[in-house]
């Protein structure tokens, strides 16, 4: 699925299995207000209207295909969990190899590249490796967490994260843009 937009009602994408390899040539601008290319095994871009709290829910989906991409945003399940997107009970078994041409600009996450307002990743497992060859930011679950109201519960990563980026990488998360407070 390319785009899931919850405008008048919630959107649910459930029990989809991708077994095919996905290949994407270079392209897409990762700058703000640019035309970005979002490549994924299940959903490219999930979001809602800015005044809405309706959800895009991706549940019970599985990606088994390897993904080879030269774009700025690549993930196995959802490339961009923009606003009010939930990924639950999903599994990735495919590997992601990314070679985006603009050094240091790619965001690659095995489950998703980015989370926005009120996103949730629940009971989701990654077994695939993430490999970036052009100083791409990379993570085993989410590359960029850009909301302090996101929820992560029951997530597991068993894949390797390999990138030549000096600091924007992680087994679970690549980078947080918000300050988080944890309580007992």
């Amino acid at each position: 699925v390319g785009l899931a937009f919850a405008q008048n009602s919630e959107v649910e994408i459930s029990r989809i299995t991708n077994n095919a390899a996905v290949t994407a040539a270079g392209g897409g601008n990762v700058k703000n207000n640019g035309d970005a290319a979002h490549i994924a095994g299940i959903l490219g871009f999930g979001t809602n209207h800015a005044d809405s709290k309706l959800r895009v829910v991706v549940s019970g989906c599985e990606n088994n295909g390897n993904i080879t991409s030269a774009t700025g945003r690549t993930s196995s399940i959802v490339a961009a969990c923009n606003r009010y997107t939930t990924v639950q009970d999903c599994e990735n078994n495919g590997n992601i190899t990314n070679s985006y041409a603009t050094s240091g600009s790619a965001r690659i996450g095995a489950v998703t590249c980015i989370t926005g307002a009120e996103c949730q990743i629940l009971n989701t497992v990654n077994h695939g490796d993430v490999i970036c060859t052009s100083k791409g930011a990379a993570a085993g679950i989410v590359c960029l967490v850009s909301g302090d109201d996101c929820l992560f519960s029951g997530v597991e990563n068993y894949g390797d994260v390999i990138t030549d980026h000096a600091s924007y990488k992680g087994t679970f998360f690549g980078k947080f843009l918000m300050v988080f407070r944890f309580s007992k």
Side-chain angles (χ1 to χ4, degrees):
V1 177
L3 168 69
F5 185 74
Q7 182 171 352
N8 298 317
S9 63
E10 291 195 342
V11 174
E12 184 174 354
I13 299 168
S14 64
R15 296 186 314 265
I16 293 176
T17 300
N18 174 46
N19 292 313
V22 176
T23 303
N29 177 1
V30 298
K31 304 293 182 192
N32 288 337
N33 300 317
D35 295 324
H38 294 87
I39 308 303
I42 305 296
L43 171 63
F45 194 84
T47 193
N48 67 0
H49 190 273
D51 297 331
S52 171
K53 292 188 178 187
L54 295 171
R55 288 201 163 275
V56 172
V57 178
V58 178
S59 66
C61 295
E62 184 176 334
N63 177 64
N64 297 312
N66 291 330
I67 300 173
T68 304
S69 173
T71 67
R73 306 285 187 268
T74 306
S75 292
S76 65
I77 306 296
V78 180
C81 292
N82 192 43
R83 292 178 39 85
Y84 287 83
T85 301
T86 297
V87 176
Q88 65 185 25
D89 303 318
C90 293
E91 183 174 341
N92 174 54
N93 297 301
N95 296 322
I96 299 170
T97 303
N98 185 277
S99 60
Y100 185 58
T102 305
S103 179
S105 294
R107 289 187 187 134
I108 312 305
V111 173
T112 188
C113 296
I114 186 169
T115 58
E118 296 284 338
C119 288
Q120 302 174 342
I121 300 181
L122 311 169
N123 304 317
T124 295
V125 179
N126 172 55
H127 294 281
D129 296 337
V130 176
I131 303 165
C132 292
T133 60
S134 61
K135 293 187 169 81
I141 301 295
V142 181
C143 187
L144 175 63
V145 177
S146 64
D148 62 359
D149 50 6
C150 295
L151 174 63
F152 305 97
S153 178
V155 294
E156 300 174 40
N157 177 47
Y158 298 97
D160 290 331
V161 177
I162 302 166
T163 181
D164 52 356
H165 197 289
S167 62
Y168 198 154
K169 58 188 171 188
T171 303
F172 281 90
F173 307 107
K175 184 174 186 177
F176 288 100
L177 287 183
M178 305 293 173
V179 176
F180 286 86
R181 282 173 268 200
F182 298 95
S183 63
K184 293 180 182 180

